[in-house]
Amino acid sequence: MIERTGSVTALLTTAGFRDVLEMAREHRYELYDLMLEPPRPLVPRYLRFDVPERVLADGTVDLPLDRMHVQMLAHELVEHGVEAVAICFLHSFANPDHEQEAAAILKEAAPGLQVCISSDVAPEIREYERASTTVANVYVRELAARYLADFRDRTAAAGVGPAPQIMLSHGGLATVDTAARYPVRMLESGPAGGALAAAAFGAAAGWQDLLAFDMGGTTAKLCVVQEGVPLVTHAFEVDRRYRLRAGSGLPVKVPVIDMIEIGVGGGSLARTNALGLLAVGPESAGSAPGPACYGHGGERPTVTDADLLLGYLDPNYFLGGDMPLHPRAAATAVRRHVGEPLGLSIVDAAWGIHTLVNEDMANAARVHTCERGQDPAQLPLVAFGGAGPVHAAGG
């Protein structure tokens, strides 16, 4: 979702409400910023469609669903390469019949489409949050379902039993089938598991209050643990990047361990922005080709490349020595894309990348803990994730 690499997704809404994703809450999250950029929806406007129908707030039908209109849309969407469809009709939390009818029509006319309805994913009041959550769910569902099915098949073939269960964002568990149907509930599953582990280690060490810090390949996340239990909320935002401001991300209405997320990780790409300043993330090198130092064809510098050049990683003992790193490739990438444009040496450019990421995460930690009534200076930091321990001390 952060990199916007999910399915080509369309949104069907009640006639007159196709712009709810961009209108959002009609709130400026930074009042005095004249250059403010609102969160970019996962569905562009040309793929959002009005459907003649109307259900009132008490669940009564004011205008029946135009079934022929939905059928025509189904064929048109397939012809234009749409892979997934979210359906979010007004007041469907009170009466889901129209959404269910529309979904049935789409599945019959275009069986290959992934279809999600808001009354199934997030049957709650508030149109914007419900639409955003439904879109997010179907946007990643094909990828998540394919991955989870492969995971289940491979564990079964390896003789691993019983069937795997999947961690959810609030710390609970689900079957593979349930997780594949509602992948939006897994968005923070990794950090949730890490936060539970951090709470357990903290309790064993006598710390009931602490800060759990996870840094992976694409994002970094922080979570406050109070009295031995990670805080839980019922809504959060994905890809919140503007000074950690509420409202600058995409809202998702699911139970989740309360944490803050920023778009920097070990694979985040470093570059100079339009103002000629150093910037890191949210774009990531991913696992293929990965950082330049992996030697798999990556040519752009990442946080991992900078960490290697600064000596935080041992090139001969990465993954226990199973994967040698290539400092020369990392140096070339950092010099070409950061050092030369900014007039810096390779070491200074690498240090700039490393410290910028550290400050971004430290700032996130200060905001997140203070908003929850905690003093960040008094909280032990438990780090995990592929890059967490590398950056924890520097934050």
Side-chain angles (χ1 to χ4, degrees), residues 81 192 211 269 277 281 313 349:
L211 186 62
L269 295 171
L277 303 176
L313 301 175

PDB file of all heavy atoms in Angstrom, residues 81 192 211 269 277 281 313 349:
ATOM      1  N   GLY A  81      -8.898  -3.510 -17.975  1.00  0.00           N
ATOM      2  CA  GLY A  81      -7.817  -4.063 -17.161  1.00  0.00           C
ATOM      3  C   GLY A  81      -7.978  -3.928 -15.671  1.00  0.00           C
ATOM      4  O   GLY A  81      -7.000  -4.108 -14.933  1.00  0.00           O
ATOM      5  N   ALA A 192       2.682  -6.082  15.271  1.00  0.00           N
ATOM      6  CA  ALA A 192       1.845  -6.515  16.395  1.00  0.00           C
ATOM      7  C   ALA A 192       2.490  -7.679  17.120  1.00  0.00           C
ATOM      8  O   ALA A 192       2.558  -7.712  18.352  1.00  0.00           O
ATOM      9  CB  ALA A 192       0.456  -6.903  15.885  1.00  0.00           C
ATOM     10  N   LEU A 211       8.869   1.074  25.030  1.00  0.00           N
ATOM     11  CA  LEU A 211       8.585   1.454  23.651  1.00  0.00           C
ATOM     12  C   LEU A 211       9.127   0.360  22.741  1.00  0.00           C
ATOM     13  O   LEU A 211      10.319   0.049  22.771  1.00  0.00           O
ATOM     14  CB  LEU A 211       9.242   2.794  23.317  1.00  0.00           C
ATOM     15  CG  LEU A 211       8.923   3.407  21.944  1.00  0.00           C
ATOM     16  CD1 LEU A 211       7.439   3.714  21.823  1.00  0.00           C
ATOM     17  CD2 LEU A 211       9.747   4.669  21.720  1.00  0.00           C
ATOM     18  N   LEU A 269      14.964   3.842  -0.450  1.00  0.00           N
ATOM     19  CA  LEU A 269      15.914   4.453  -1.375  1.00  0.00           C
ATOM     20  C   LEU A 269      16.240   5.880  -0.975  1.00  0.00           C
ATOM     21  O   LEU A 269      15.357   6.652  -0.593  1.00  0.00           O
ATOM     22  CB  LEU A 269      15.344   4.429  -2.788  1.00  0.00           C
ATOM     23  CG  LEU A 269      15.132   3.033  -3.397  1.00  0.00           C
ATOM     24  CD1 LEU A 269      14.368   3.149  -4.711  1.00  0.00           C
ATOM     25  CD2 LEU A 269      16.461   2.333  -3.619  1.00  0.00           C
ATOM     26  N   LEU A 277      17.666  18.615  -1.724  1.00  0.00           N
ATOM     27  CA  LEU A 277      17.956  18.145  -0.371  1.00  0.00           C
ATOM     28  C   LEU A 277      17.932  16.624  -0.321  1.00  0.00           C
ATOM     29  O   LEU A 277      17.273  15.968  -1.133  1.00  0.00           O
ATOM     30  CB  LEU A 277      16.927  18.709   0.612  1.00  0.00           C
ATOM     31  CG  LEU A 277      16.791  20.226   0.660  1.00  0.00           C
ATOM     32  CD1 LEU A 277      15.660  20.626   1.606  1.00  0.00           C
ATOM     33  CD2 LEU A 277      18.108  20.864   1.092  1.00  0.00           C
ATOM     34  N   GLY A 281      13.189   7.327   1.337  1.00  0.00           N
ATOM     35  CA  GLY A 281      11.862   6.722   1.350  1.00  0.00           C
ATOM     36  C   GLY A 281      10.828   7.662   0.739  1.00  0.00           C
ATOM     37  O   GLY A 281      11.124   8.792   0.365  1.00  0.00           O
ATOM     38  N   LEU A 313      27.259  -2.952   9.551  1.00  0.00           N
ATOM     39  CA  LEU A 313      27.052  -4.317   9.080  1.00  0.00           C
ATOM     40  C   LEU A 313      28.383  -4.927   8.686  1.00  0.00           C
ATOM     41  O   LEU A 313      29.244  -4.251   8.109  1.00  0.00           O
ATOM     42  CB  LEU A 313      26.101  -4.334   7.872  1.00  0.00           C
ATOM     43  CG  LEU A 313      24.706  -3.749   8.081  1.00  0.00           C
ATOM     44  CD1 LEU A 313      23.944  -3.734   6.757  1.00  0.00           C
ATOM     45  CD2 LEU A 313      23.938  -4.540   9.119  1.00  0.00           C
ATOM     46  N   ALA A 349      28.032  11.248   2.778  1.00  0.00           N
ATOM     47  CA  ALA A 349      26.723  10.966   2.190  1.00  0.00           C
ATOM     48  C   ALA A 349      26.047   9.809   2.919  1.00  0.00           C
ATOM     49  O   ALA A 349      24.846   9.867   3.224  1.00  0.00           O
ATOM     50  CB  ALA A 349      26.883  10.636   0.708  1.00  0.00           C
TER      51      ALA A 349
END
